[in-house]
Amino acid sequence: MVTLGVLISGRGSNLQAILRAIADGRLSARVAVVVSNIEGAPGLAHASAAGVPTVVISHRGWPSREEYDAHLVGVLRAHHVELVCLAGFMRRLTPVLIDAFPHRVLNVHPSLLPAFPGVDAQRQALEHGVRVAGCTVHLVTPTIDAGPIVLQACVPVTDDDTVDTLAARILEEEHRVYPEAIRLVSEGLGRVEGRRWISTGRTAPLSDADGRG
Ligand code: GRF
């Protein structure tokens, strides 16, 4: 069973999806700690409700990003974290954290990367006029939203979509694929070659309980 540390800044719906996958037995993991850089982030309440310890480390007042990340590494290590999951954590990470967990930091992004990195990905997709959008789970590297892609899922964009309707459709897929990607990485069912994640094991979804297999 892998020990996870989940980093959030806000709502925490992906955190909830991870906790659900664990509770359902689809993911053999334990969330040891949830860290937020924002005091009062709604996701912290989800963690507490699930009995998961929470830590708030404000990003304000640190002399450098590196010192913030070093402190964060200390907190994650103190909770014996093996795999770090960014779930709406709105901070760019430095090599101080990334190198402390080599190929063991994951992020979920609401676009089919490399299209639309950065903030407001769903708005970028809608405004660009793409017909297909989606989400990406990738390993984190110092370049934002650019690390090896573990899983992607796509959704259609309809003519009457707003940013909110498109974001909601994408979010459903995030909740489906993020726990599955965590499973693949934590069970060692792939390896990194250059900028590619190469699957070496079964890549079927964790469960077909949601009917989409
Ligand atoms: C998600 O859309 C995720 O892709 C992005 O931030 C959002 C976080 O949502 N990185 P939540 O806090 O997990 O609900």
Side-chain angles (χ1 to χ4, degrees), residues 10-15 87-88 107-110 122 171 174:
R11 179 176 57 183
S13 71
N14 279 288
L15 164 67
N107 181 42
V108 60
H109 181 76
Q122 304 96 328
L171 193 63
E174 295 182 36

Side-chain angles (χ1 to χ4, degrees), residues 50-74:
V52 175
T54 61
V55 178
V56 175
I57 313 173
S58 171
H59 54 278
R60 297 185 198 286
W62 294 86
S64 67
R65 283 183 184 275
E66 285 74 13
E67 277 161 85
Y68 180 89
D69 282 3
H71 183 72
L72 188 47
V73 168

Side-chain angles (χ1 to χ4, degrees), residues 185-196:
V185 172
S186 65
E187 294 185 4
L189 297 176
R191 64 172 186 280
V192 175
E193 269 183 32
R195 58 150 298 106
R196 299 183 68 201

Side-chain angles (χ1 to χ4, degrees), residues 1-212:
M1 175 181 306
V2 65
T3 303
L4 306 177
V6 182
L7 310 190
I8 66 167
S9 297
R11 179 176 57 183
S13 71
N14 279 288
L15 164 67
Q16 283 184 290
I18 293 166
L19 292 169
R20 259 198 316 273
I22 294 171
D24 291 354
R26 284 177 285 136
L27 178 62
S28 174
R30 179 176 76 92
V31 180
V33 65
V34 169
V35 179
S36 171
N37 64 317
I38 306 284
E39 179 93 48
L44 290 169
H46 302 317
S48 300
V52 175
T54 61
V55 178
V56 175
I57 313 173
S58 171
H59 54 278
R60 297 185 198 286
W62 294 86
S64 67
R65 283 183 184 275
E66 285 74 13
E67 277 161 85
Y68 180 89
D69 282 3
H71 183 72
L72 188 47
V73 168
V75 169
L76 295 169
R77 290 237 193 277
H79 288 85
H80 310 291
V81 166
E82 298 166 301
L83 181 61
V84 181
C85 301
L86 310 189
F89 188 61
M90 302 301 283
R91 294 272 306 163
R92 185 163 52 77
L93 296 175
T94 69
V96 169
L97 190 140
I98 295 166
D99 294 346
F101 297 93
H103 296 154
R104 289 289 178 277
V105 185
L106 279 171
N107 181 42
V108 60
H109 181 76
S111 79
L112 294 172
L113 290 171
F116 314 126
V119 294
D120 269 341
Q122 304 96 328
R123 180 181 303 279
Q124 292 183 55
L126 197 65
E127 288 178 355
H128 192 93
V130 295
R131 310 306 315 192
V132 174
C135 65
T136 303
V137 181
H138 64 93
L139 294 170
V140 173
T141 58
T143 309
I144 216 141
D145 297 332
I149 292 170
V150 179
L151 282 180
Q152 291 185 303
C154 55
V155 301
V157 181
T158 63
D159 289 336
D160 58 355
D161 261 331
T162 62
V163 175
D164 287 346
T165 59
L166 179 58
R169 197 175 303 124
I170 294 171
L171 193 63
E172 254 186 70
E173 292 302 302
E174 295 182 36
H175 295 166
R176 193 172 67 83
V177 297
Y178 203 8
E180 169 64 358
I182 293 168
R183 187 182 73 84
L184 296 176
V185 172
S186 65
E187 294 185 4
L189 297 176
R191 64 172 186 280
V192 175
E193 269 183 32
R195 58 150 298 106
R196 299 183 68 201
W197 164 268
I198 309 289
S199 292
T200 53
R202 196 168 66 90
T203 55
L206 278 173
S207 148
D208 60 3
D210 63 4
R212 276 179 292 191

